Amino acid sequence: MNTTTPAALDPHKSRIRMGEISILMATRARPDMLDEELATLKANTAQKDKLAVWLYVDDDDEITRKAVDGGRFKNLDFRVHWHFGPRPPALGQAHQALWNDSGRASEVYLISCDDARFDTPGWDDIVRREFG
């Protein structure tokens, strides 16, 4: 019997960033709703240094592009990564692109949408505790 743990399953040998949560979401032409969601993350995330938000925006979405380029989402205190690409035929393909962009190294991945809210204070610590 082999008792060694493959690097892919051993967080000490892998590239997994322990405690990090990545949220993958697509948005389209709803910057007000997205702004509201990001504000709830800003207000209620306990460990902002361990949060990364990955956003997929269709490259023909001029409304969201204008909001991003205009600096609407600059005052966040956690990492936000923007991916502008062609409109995928299915939403899962947008999430797959974001997962690939992220390097697949966060300990926890969540899929969200631009009209969700994170209203529970310390929601991220709750998620870490449940996944632990």
Side-chain angles (χ1 to χ4, degrees):
M1 174 185 281
N2 185 348
T3 60
T4 60
T5 303
L9 301 177
D10 184 345
H12 302 291
K13 295 179 183 175
S14 71
R15 304 173 311 143
I16 301 298
R17 292 184 292 272
M18 301 308 292
E20 183 176 276
I21 298 173
S22 280
I23 300 174
L24 311 177
M25 79 175 82
T27 186
R28 181 169 179 83
R30 302 194 307 183
D32 291 339
M33 294 181 94
L34 178 61
D35 195 27
E36 210 173 294
E37 177 176 7
L38 295 173
T40 65
L41 285 167
K42 183 175 181 177
N44 295 310
T45 301
Q47 297 184 54
K48 293 178 182 135
D49 60 318
K50 293 184 178 181
L51 174 65
V53 176
W54 298 82
L55 287 147
Y56 193 101
V57 181
D58 299 333
D59 54 12
D60 64 347
D61 179 357
E62 295 177 21
I63 294 169
T64 304
R65 173 65 93 165
K66 186 175 180 180
V68 172
D69 291 347
R72 181 163 184 177
F73 306 106
K74 282 192 172 190
N75 294 323
L76 299 169
D77 51 1
F78 51 87
R79 291 170 288 147
V80 177
H81 306 274
W82 298 93
H83 176 103
F84 292 88
R87 186 187 294 192
L91 187 57
Q93 291 172 321
H95 296 140
Q96 181 72 38
L98 294 171
W99 187 52
N100 290 338
D101 282 355
S102 77
R104 304 177 183 183
S106 292
E107 183 177 21
V108 176
Y109 281 85
L110 305 174
I111 294 175
S112 188
C113 53
D114 59 9
D115 60 354
R117 297 182 58 89
F118 290 80
D119 287 331
T120 302
W123 68 269
D124 54 317
D125 283 339
I126 296 167
V127 168
R128 284 184 195 91
R129 196 167 41 250
E130 290 301 314
F131 274 83

